[in-house]
Amino acid sequence: MKRLLFTTMPLDNATNRLQHGWLRYQQNTSDVQIRDGLMLRLKITYEISHKMLKRYLEMASATPELFEQMPFQDLVRTGNEQGLLVGSWPDWRLYREMRGKTSHSYDEAVALEVVAGIPKFLAEASYLSEQLQKRMA
């Protein structure tokens, strides 16, 4: 396998900030400013997770061009098959939907729905980061 040209630091930072935001939100779930910030952190962590997964699969493959135009659904399936992810495509489709809904933080019901899914996504992003670290060691 090619030596990876990236670190997991961006993903580590994003998951740590999401975790910190989640803990603060748990102290006062009526604080909409914290909730809105938490939704932004979810969006950032999701984007970094997606990019890191794709980059790792490209760099670890003998044929990286296969991953250049691969649909996200197939990236997730491949990552799952390689033990990089806990969740399967239905889980990641939900995370993708959550990420898409982050722009609707003004809608109370949507915001609460998104925030409710954060713990499961946070565990997934942390697991991905741990697996990438192990493989890069």
Side-chain angles (χ1 to χ4, degrees), residues 67-128:
F67 297 98
E68 290 174 14
Q69 299 299 321
M70 184 178 278
F72 182 63
Q73 178 176 335
D74 294 336
L75 283 173
V76 168
R77 285 187 179 128
T78 303
N80 191 273
E81 289 167 2
Q82 292 189 21
L84 293 167
L85 305 174
V86 176
S88 61
W89 168 240
D91 296 312
W92 278 87
R93 182 177 54 228
L94 177 64
Y95 305 146
R96 179 177 240 181
E97 290 169 3
M98 288 169 49
R99 181 252 175 256
K101 292 177 181 179
T102 60
S103 61
H104 300 286
S105 61
Y106 56 85
D107 183 320
E108 186 74 11
V110 171
L112 292 173
E113 177 187 333
V114 170
V115 169
I118 286 177
K120 187 174 179 184
F121 172 72
L122 182 57
E124 182 75 59
S126 297
Y127 183 82
L128 173 60

Side-chain angles (χ1 to χ4, degrees), residues 7-20 45 48-49 52 122 125-133 136:
T7 70
T8 60
M9 190 179 307
L11 184 54
D12 296 341
N13 288 342
T15 55
N16 287 337
R17 289 180 177 172
L18 183 58
Q19 176 70 34
H20 178 73
T45 306
I48 293 171
S49 296
M52 295 286 287
L122 182 57
S126 297
Y127 183 82
L128 173 60
S129 182
E130 290 169 14
Q131 293 306 307
L132 292 175
Q133 286 177 26
M136 290 172 49

Side-chain angles (χ1 to χ4, degrees), residues 6-51:
F6 70 96
T7 70
T8 60
M9 190 179 307
L11 184 54
D12 296 341
N13 288 342
T15 55
N16 287 337
R17 289 180 177 172
L18 183 58
Q19 176 70 34
H20 178 73
W22 177 252
L23 293 174
R24 285 198 56 201
Y25 178 70
Q26 293 305 300
Q27 294 171 4
N28 182 3
T29 58
S30 65
D31 189 333
V32 294
Q33 264 189 324
I34 296 294
R35 186 190 66 206
D36 292 351
L38 188 58
M39 291 175 61
L40 177 60
R41 288 182 180 188
L42 165 75
K43 180 179 179 178
I44 292 167
T45 306
Y46 172 86
E47 295 295 332
I48 293 171
S49 296
H50 177 200
K51 289 175 183 176

